Structure formats: structure tokens, C-alpha cells
Amino acid sequence: MTGLATLLVLADGRLPAGGHAHSGGLEAAVSSGRLRDLAGLSGFLRGRLATTGRITAAFAAAACVAARTVRAADADADADADAGHDDALDRHRLDALDEGLDARTPSPALRRASRVQGRALLRAGRAIWSVDPAQRDRHHPVALGIVAAAAGLPPAEAAVAGAYGTVSGPASAAVRLLGLDPYGVHSLLAELAGECDRLAALAAARAGDPIDLLPADSAPLLEIGAEVHANWEVRLFAS
Amino acid sequence: MRPDPQVQNGTGSHDHGTGPHEHAVDEVPHTHPDPGVDPHAPLTSPVPGTTRPVRVGIGGPVGSGKTALVAALCRALGDELRLAVVTNDIYTTEDADFLLRNGVLPADRIRAVETGCCPHTAIRDDISANLDAVEDLEVSLGPLDLVLVESGGDNLTATFSRGLVDHQIFVVDVAGGDKVPRKGGPGVTSADLLVINKTDLAPLVGADLSVMARDSAARRGDLPTVFLSLVDDPVAGMVADWVRGLLPARTDRRGGPAKLVP
Ligand SMILES: Nc1nc2c(ncn2[C@@H]2O[C@H](COP(=O)(O)OP(=O)(O)OP(=O)(O)O)[C@@H](O)[C@H]2O)c(=O)[nH]1
Ligand SMILES: [Mg+2]
């Protein structure tokens, strides 16, 4: 029986899945002078949730659906070797979702950051739940769908963890980097909670859509910032 | 200040893993870790008959000499062991660059992990990036005997997760004052080996090594402590011996293919 507490475990910022080393583009925004205070952070988080957050929610939900189908098929095959359910389409769907994210992420630095975090999350998923050991190299949103499925969570919850993670990561980085008032920063997160829920519901409703119809919102400044950031000699965050 | 050797021996302020012995007049007080005795259970491997490299963490406050010790161990062990290094800098690849510049290890044997403002998180609370780095080294280099993981310079409370390393060395220096062992903290009290480095500076900073020896023995019980000057001993002989003692017998080590961390 999987309940809300399992979602809390997966969405907890202290889950050892590599997130602490990434600022979600915040460090680049701070150093460029575009983000200095709580008001700047508020705008940054809204923009990030509407773009990266929306895509992450959509791909996490879609990957969760595909991964649940694969798991069910594997369980059937274990129970009855002659079940003959062909799950190749769903396995292929995970690959296609990965490619869909490649296409939506022009910056090689951001693609790397996403795969590094996907790999770390899958490692955590293998250690905590029963994630397929063959799943090692995935974009973070796809990894999130796979791990959520292994934890027994439905697509909407994979999506809400994804949407929330795209803002909670940079918010915590802002506390460390700018010394912002942590109550003020968490107030911003609380204000965005409703939007996270809304994006997650939309993502779950469209989780079976063709990949080309899934959200493709882009945030050019995040892409450009990530490329600049990757070339700094001295930086505090990996991305 | 060099401790008075008579006071040293008279108070028995330092421990010897293999029993007491005499120290020369100009010798720095130290304890003798016994390289023949490994207090830890053997490493488990997912596949019987194969081993993964022994992972040794090197932690300690900023500037205490962690990178210098890693370099010394590479000099001492680089020819006899299949060795690789992971560094965890706070914000640069400075430590990795130092090792490269000094030519103690080829570039493909060194990985730098980025730690997002929180070096202790990367070695204790969320070790995923470090495990990925170790895994990458094993994939690209094949079987390894030993991986040294240097933490970013942090404070006296920063220790390694047992999920990341099998053994840990904590490096403090005498220039931080002879109070450091007395202050304790998990690094000083529980590290498998405490290294008190830069003994050559003791006279310059007025640090009393016998006080440090007494306090670390009190804090650490039977755990070994080594006094070291990397200026005088650029291959860190006693630490290298201690590390050798952690490794399985050589024949075992050359056995099967390397195992990936799970
Ligand atoms: N006099 C003296 N200097 C030393 C000794 N060991 C290291 N140093 C010097 O101390 C300085 C710091 O050494 P590092 O090895 O970089 O220290 P670290 O602990 O790696 O530093 P961080 O990684 O920045 O925390 C360097 O200038 C070294 O040359 C020693 O035994 N004696
Ligand atoms: Mg160093």
C-alpha cells in the first residue's frame, strides 16, 4: 500500500540523489546580476516552473505510466512465463521520452546536468526501491517517472515531485548563495504549491500523448546561462 | 616546541599499537598503527571471488595538508598499486589540478566532484556524485586496488559516510594550534587514522606536540595517531604503511575483474 508518505520520501530535498550540488541555473542568474533578492528569486522560480517545471512534470508523468506498464508486464511474465504480453512498446517509450528531452534541451551543459541527476536518482531508486538495474542513464524527469513507478506512486505524484523539485532546488541554492531569509524563500515555495499541483494534474491527464505533443516550453536564458556557467573556472554548483 | 623526550616516555602519553618502544631524542612522538591488523570485516562483493577497490577517505580542515598527503601516497603507492583519486573541492578543481601539475598520477586516474557549496554533504549525506566518480574510474580504468577520496576542506565535524569509504583518515595540522585534538569532534575522535601534520611548523607556532599526543590518545582510545611532516617525509611513510595494511593480500587483489559499486 503506497500513500502520501512515500511521495514525501521521494520529494524530500534530503533524498541522496545528487540534487544538492545543482542550482537549477540560479548561480548563473545571480552572477549575471539578474537575481539579487527575494523579488528576483520569485520571478526566477515562476519562470522556471512555467518552463522546466512544466516539461519535467509532463515527462515524469509519461515515464511513470510507461514504467508502470513495463513493471506490470515483468510481474506477469514472472508469474506466468507464457503470458506473452509484449511490453516492447513501453520500453521503447522510455527511450523516446529520453530523446524527447534531448530535443527540448539545446544546451549540452543542461543535458549533462539532467543525466547526472537522473543517474544519481536511479542509484537511489535501486538502493531504496526495486528499480531495474538496467536503467542507469536517463534524463532526470524520466528517471523520476521510473523511480516513482518502482515506489508504487501514480503519474500525478511523479509529476508533482518533478514540478516541485524544479523550484525547491534553486530555492535552497539561493539560501546558500545569497544568504536570503529562509522564511521568505519558503514563502515563495508555498505560493507556488498550487501551480505545482495544477501542472501535475495536467501532466497526468496527458501522460499518454505522443511525445511531440508533450510540453516544449523553453527558457533561453537558462540555456545560455548554463553554457556560460559550465565554462567558469570557479563555481559553487555543478549546474 | 619539540616535546621533552623524557617527559614523553615518563608520562607514557602516547600509545603504541605494538607496545611501547624507545624514541630517539629528536624524534617526534607518534603511535604505531599495526599494518598487519585490519579491524574491519572483509569487503563484501556482489559476485563471489571478485573484489572492489578499497576506498579510503581523507578529510580534515581547510589547508591541513589533505592534498599534500594524497600526493605523498600517490608517490609511495602509485607504482605498486592500481590507484585512483577522487577530489571534492568546494568550488574549483584546484586539488585535482595540483595533483596533475605535480605529476603524481596521470589525468585519467583523477576525478573532481563538484559539491554545491556543501563539501560535507557530498561525502556524508548525499554521496551519489562520489559513487558515480568511483564507478566511472572503474569503468574507464578496469580493476583498481585503491581509491583515495579527498574531502573538501571543512570543519572538525565533517566525516565520511560508511557508504562511501571503507576507512577514513582525518588530517589536522599543528599550525591550527595544539588545542585541536582536545576540541575533539567526530573527525578527531572516530577517524580510523588521525594524522597530525606539519610538525615542522610546531616550533614556529608554539605548538606542544606532547600535548597533542596526550589529547589525541585521550580522545581516541586505541585508534592510531601519526605525527607527520610532509616537508620532511614527502612519501608519508607511516601513513603509506597503514594504507598497505588495509589491502587484501596481493594474490587476492590481482584476482577477478573489478566490481562496480551497486
Ligand atoms: N610546512 C609544511 N607545510 C605543509 C605540510 N603539508 C602541507 N603543507 C602545505 O600546506 C598548504 C596546504 O596544503 P594542502 O595539501 O593544499 O591542504 P588541503 O588540506 O588539501 O587544503 P584544502 O583542500 O584547501 O582544504 C600547502 O601550501 C602545502 O604545501 C607540512 O607537513 N609542512
Ligand atoms: Mg586539498
Side-chain angles (χ1 to χ4, degrees), chain B residues 61-68 95 150 153 197-198 200-201 229-231:
Chain B
V62 179
S64 60
K66 298 178 292 299
T67 304
D95 286 342
E150 180 187 343
N197 188 32
K198 307 193 192 178
D200 56 295
L201 297 182
S229 165
L230 287 165
V231 172

Side-chain angles (χ1 to χ4, degrees), chain B residues 143-166:
Chain B
L144 295 169
D145 301 312
L146 176 66
V147 178
L148 300 174
V149 184
E150 180 187 343
S151 83
D154 211 302
N155 53 48
L156 293 174
T157 67
T159 50
F160 285 85
S161 160
R162 291 287 170 191
L164 175 59
V165 300
D166 307 301

Side-chain angles (χ1 to χ4, degrees), chain A residues 23-38:
Chain A
S23 79
L26 182 114
E27 186 173 25
V30 166
S31 104
S32 71
R34 289 194 301 278
L35 199 170
R36 295 192 180 84
D37 50 19
L38 268 182

Side-chain angles (χ1 to χ4, degrees), chain A residues 12-193:
Chain A
D12 189 339
R14 281 164 297 187
L15 183 76
H20 72 97
H22 296 265
S23 79
L26 182 114
E27 186 173 25
V30 166
S31 104
S32 71
R34 289 194 301 278
L35 199 170
R36 295 192 180 84
D37 50 19
L38 268 182
L41 179 64
S42 173
F44 179 90
L45 295 180
R46 277 181 194 286
R48 185 163 158 85
L49 185 56
T51 53
T52 313
R54 189 159 169 255
I55 292 177
T56 301
F59 278 74
C64 185
V65 169
R68 282 163 73 99
T69 313
V70 171
R71 292 180 69 83
D74 286 348
D76 281 354
D78 282 350
D80 173 6
D82 300 325
H85 178 104
D86 180 11
D87 59 357
L89 274 180
D90 298 293
R91 290 184 203 279
H92 176 71
R93 170 93 169 159
L94 289 173
D95 294 339
L97 286 165
D98 236 18
E99 285 162 16
L101 284 167
D102 274 337
R104 284 162 177 76
T105 318
S107 152
L110 275 190
R111 288 205 290 270
R112 272 196 308 276
S114 171
R115 286 191 181 277
V116 163
Q117 291 177 84
R119 179 178 171 188
L121 180 57
L122 289 167
R123 179 192 294 283
R126 285 195 300 279
I128 302 168
W129 294 287
S130 61
V131 167
D132 177 4
Q135 300 288 345
R136 280 180 188 253
D137 179 25
R138 294 289 187 193
H139 274 294
H140 183 256
V142 176
L144 184 55
I146 292 170
V147 173
L153 295 172
E157 294 183 6
V160 82
Y164 180 67
T166 59
V167 287
S168 63
S172 128
V175 171
R176 281 179 269 165
L177 208 49
L178 290 171
L180 295 182
D181 171 16
Y183 300 108
V185 171
H186 262 74
S187 300
L188 296 179
L189 289 177
E191 282 165 23
L192 291 173

